[in-house]
Amino acid sequence: MSISETDRALLRRAIALAATAREHGNHPFGALLADANGNILVEAKNTVITERDLTGHAETNLIRAGSRQLAPDVLAAATLYTSTEPCAMCAGAIYWSGVSRVIFGLSAARLTQLVDGTTEKTLSLTAERVLNSGGRHVTVIGPLLEDEALAVHLGFWKP
């Protein structure tokens, strides 16, 4: 499935948010919501370490903020851009939010390869599998710009 230059720019912004999360001592994940015209509505970063909240993943933080700030119809029409494929928890939050389109950079499979041998664990469920297990369809596009998305993770995950 093809994406636009606006989609690429917004995905790169999510990757930049991941770099900022890492700079602040958190896991390198970032996400944002944008409307159909490419206007950024909400941005979020991973805050697992700084907020001492194991559920403080970028996408979950984003959905929490977005659901407080945006009407349900705005959420449903938005695209979620994320530096890395959402985990099962985040995919569940995205599903319940009503967001209908997700674009991600780094695949969960590549992330699993990075964290293998560390204390970090992942779930072997793709975002698409979780998001499309319910009663509505969510378009999932990715991995895209995977080398760029991978770069922010290099050297972060230690045994």
Side-chain angles (χ1 to χ4, degrees):
M1 185 173 283
S2 65
I3 63 168
S4 69
E5 286 306 311
T6 299
D7 288 327
R8 288 183 203 290
L10 291 166
L11 184 54
R12 286 188 171 109
R13 175 64 188 154
I15 294 166
L17 290 167
T20 302
R22 181 177 178 169
E23 290 167 7
H24 291 135
N26 288 296
H27 299 154
F29 300 98
L32 63 89
L33 286 168
D35 67 18
N37 295 319
N39 299 307
I40 296 173
L41 305 171
V42 184
E43 295 181 328
K45 300 177 285 283
N46 181 288
T47 57
V48 166
I49 304 299
T50 54
E51 296 292 326
R52 297 180 50 94
D53 177 0
L54 296 175
T55 67
H57 294 194
E59 301 91 342
T60 301
N61 288 340
L62 182 71
I63 294 303
R64 285 181 186 133
S67 64
R68 285 187 208 107
Q69 297 173 33
L70 305 170
D73 61 319
V74 174
L75 274 173
T79 296
L80 188 148
Y81 297 84
T82 181
S83 61
T84 303
E85 184 174 1
C87 72
M89 175 185 70
C90 292
I94 294 164
Y95 178 83
W96 292 115
S97 75
V99 168
S100 60
R101 185 172 182 245
V102 174
I103 297 178
F104 68 88
L106 184 68
S107 70
R110 293 279 302 270
L111 178 64
T112 298
Q113 291 172 345
L114 286 174
V115 303
D116 191 36
T118 72
T119 58
E120 297 293 326
K121 301 296 177 221
T122 61
L123 292 170
S124 296
L125 290 170
T126 66
E128 186 168 25
R129 183 173 174 199
V130 175
L131 287 165
N132 289 309
S133 294
R136 66 182 187 84
H137 177 73
V138 179
T139 300
V140 180
I141 303 169
L144 298 169
L145 308 177
E146 196 165 25
D147 289 340
E148 293 176 42
L150 173 66
V152 74
H153 289 271
L154 296 177
F156 181 82
W157 306 102
K158 309 247 188 246

